[in-house]
Amino acid sequence: MFDFLKKKFSGTVGKVSDKFSDEEGLPEEPTDQKEIESAKGKKAEETSTKEEKISTPSAKTEAITSADTPLESIKESSESSKEEKTSRFSIFRRKSADKDKFPETDKDKSGDNRSPEDIGETSVESGSEEAKSKEKSSESEPGMFGFATHKTISQGDVEDVLFELELSLLEGDVAMEVAEKIIKSVETDLVGRKIKRRSDVAQYTQEALKNAISEILMVEGPDVNVLALEAQRTGEPLKIMFVGINGTGKTTTISKLSDYFVSKGFTPVIAASDTFRAGAIEQITHHAEKLQVKIIKHQKGADPAAVAYDAVEHARAQKKELVFIDTAGRMQTNINLMDEMKKIQRVVKPDLVIFVGDALTGNDVVEQATKFNDAVGLDGIILTKADADAKGGAALSIGYVVQKPILYLGVGQGYKDIIEFKPDWMVEQIFGANT
């Protein structure tokens, strides 16, 4: 189900991500364990190299020291060369000894004449400070696991991709106003968001799409299960009238719901108020007998409102909780049949009027539901053949356009092939679980 929507939304996520694939300064988050370990190894090598540079005295310092060292000290140093090489603090010891022999004069304090040892010490200290400064700056630089920059998503980054998505949605039988609503919502969510890594783009885009779809599908409406329980408590039957055009599956849907509520412990009654179509009474009677559900019927051509009235009276007398009223399929443009349906509504005063539409007809089913809603006022929608609907445009659009919730989906030919519609379920079907 909804394969078309899955493909188009997934493609949109990919296209928006591709917009940032060549952006400089946006690191990719390493996903492979080997990449992570390699990055850590490189960082460790860089750190050790910096430490070696800091600890090793410069060649210039060694040259100056050796040039001014007396011959005797050279001999002494040759005998203890290992100590001299390992201890760079010998420079400071010699400097201290020279200070004791030659006290510091005013000239020494004010002048620029410095001993080689002083030059060496200054060189070492400045080298150490420079190394520390470099080390500090390298820590502040972003590495593999840092954030190089924060790029803000602009309207130009997503404009073309969202335009393509809008065209694709229209191609997938999504109503114009629904497609526009989705595009506007996604654009509002994305534009102005700051991203740290390229992987953030895909995540933000998918979240924006999911939020848009969830908002479209969230339409408040009645809970048939709660109403059935209330009817059971009060003894007044819940009356539901089913309307729609020819061939959408009203009769089959009534049979499925009868089985559904019988399994929940309720006792429905079926009113065969489709007295117009040839064979309609026989068809609904066949299903009722298979399900062992009571059916109230008259002869072909009888008054549909009278059949519905008798069914309601039977339910009251027998303390049955549900009355399902079948009506003749009619085009929304057939004024006479639409007036007949209004008469049933006046006589029986149904608690719910449910439109049954074929999901495969796409935008046509949205237009049909709109016309029926204008004529008799709908309370809910059932879409049949949803299992064969690869596009999903009708399921996405109809509730938002008519502002009536989808209550059930027909997903097969068997009596058990009907499911309660939940917006979260459809979002999961399109985007997958836990995404």
Side-chain angles (χ1 to χ4, degrees), residues 58-127:
S58 65
K60 186 176 179 181
T61 305
E62 289 179 358
I64 294 171
T65 305
S66 60
D68 278 27
T69 304
L71 186 61
E72 290 81 8
S73 62
I74 292 174
K75 288 180 182 180
E76 289 176 5
S77 65
S78 64
E79 291 175 359
S80 57
S81 58
K82 290 183 181 179
E83 281 184 18
E84 298 256 345
K85 288 178 182 177
T86 56
S87 176
R88 36 178 231 181
F89 294 104
S90 58
I91 297 172
F92 300 105
R93 287 200 299 270
R94 287 195 301 275
K95 180 174 179 287
S96 176
D98 289 340
K99 279 184 179 180
D100 293 339
K101 291 180 181 179
F102 306 101
E104 197 174 34
T105 63
D106 294 337
K107 184 179 180 180
D108 290 334
K109 289 179 183 177
S110 60
D112 292 334
N113 297 328
R114 292 178 293 175
S115 66
E117 289 82 355
D118 292 337
I119 295 172
E121 181 185 3
T122 305
S123 177
V124 171
E125 287 176 355
S126 62

Side-chain angles (χ1 to χ4, degrees), residues 1-2 248-249 252-253 256-257 356-360 381-389 406-421 425:
M1 277 188 283
F2 317 130
T248 58
T252 305
T253 299
K256 290 179 178 180
L257 284 176
V356 180
D358 185 346
L360 298 180
I381 297 162
I382 296 176
L383 288 180
T384 62
K385 308 173 189 176
D387 55 313
D389 182 17
I406 300 174
L407 301 176
Y408 299 94
L409 292 178
V411 291
Q413 295 299 312
Y415 292 132
K416 304 292 184 185
D417 295 330
I418 191 167
I419 60 174
E420 288 187 62
F421 179 82
W425 171 85

Side-chain angles (χ1 to χ4, degrees), residues 107-150:
K107 184 179 180 180
D108 290 334
K109 289 179 183 177
S110 60
D112 292 334
N113 297 328
R114 292 178 293 175
S115 66
E117 289 82 355
D118 292 337
I119 295 172
E121 181 185 3
T122 305
S123 177
V124 171
E125 287 176 355
S126 62
S128 177
E129 289 174 3
E130 184 179 353
K132 286 179 181 177
S133 176
K134 285 183 179 179
E135 186 176 359
K136 185 176 180 181
S137 64
S138 68
E139 286 175 358
S140 64
E141 290 176 2
M144 178 64 73
F145 301 98
F147 299 146
T149 185
H150 288 190

Side-chain angles (χ1 to χ4, degrees), residues 202-325:
Q203 179 187 342
Y204 293 159
T205 306
Q206 180 149 306
E207 286 176 358
L209 287 168
K210 287 177 72 174
N211 291 338
I213 300 304
S214 297
E215 188 177 347
I216 290 290
L217 294 173
M218 290 294 182
V219 181
E220 292 186 3
D223 188 326
V224 183
N225 293 306
V226 172
L227 293 176
L229 288 170
E230 181 65 16
Q232 192 176 55
R233 186 183 65 81
T234 61
E236 178 63 23
L238 176 65
K239 304 176 291 291
I240 304 176
M241 183 169 76
F242 296 85
V243 300
I245 70 167
N246 310 73
T248 58
K250 287 189 303 299
T251 303
T252 305
T253 299
I254 290 172
S255 303
K256 290 179 178 180
L257 284 176
S258 297
D259 179 72
Y260 176 82
F261 281 100
V262 166
S263 68
K264 288 180 173 289
F266 297 99
T267 309
V269 178
I270 297 175
S273 293
D274 182 0
T275 61
F276 179 79
R277 180 171 63 90
I281 297 173
E282 289 78 6
Q283 182 186 5
I284 192 70
T285 300
H286 171 74
H287 288 302
E289 289 175 350
K290 286 188 70 174
L291 295 168
Q292 298 181 341
V293 172
K294 179 65 178 179
I295 182 169
I296 303 298
K297 58 185 177 179
H298 291 187
Q299 296 299 316
K300 182 180 181 299
D303 184 357
V307 178
Y309 178 82
D310 288 347
V312 173
E313 289 302 312
H314 171 80
R316 284 188 181 131
Q318 299 298 320
K319 303 298 181 183
K320 295 180 179 179
E321 302 91 358
L322 299 164
V323 179
F324 294 148
I325 304 169

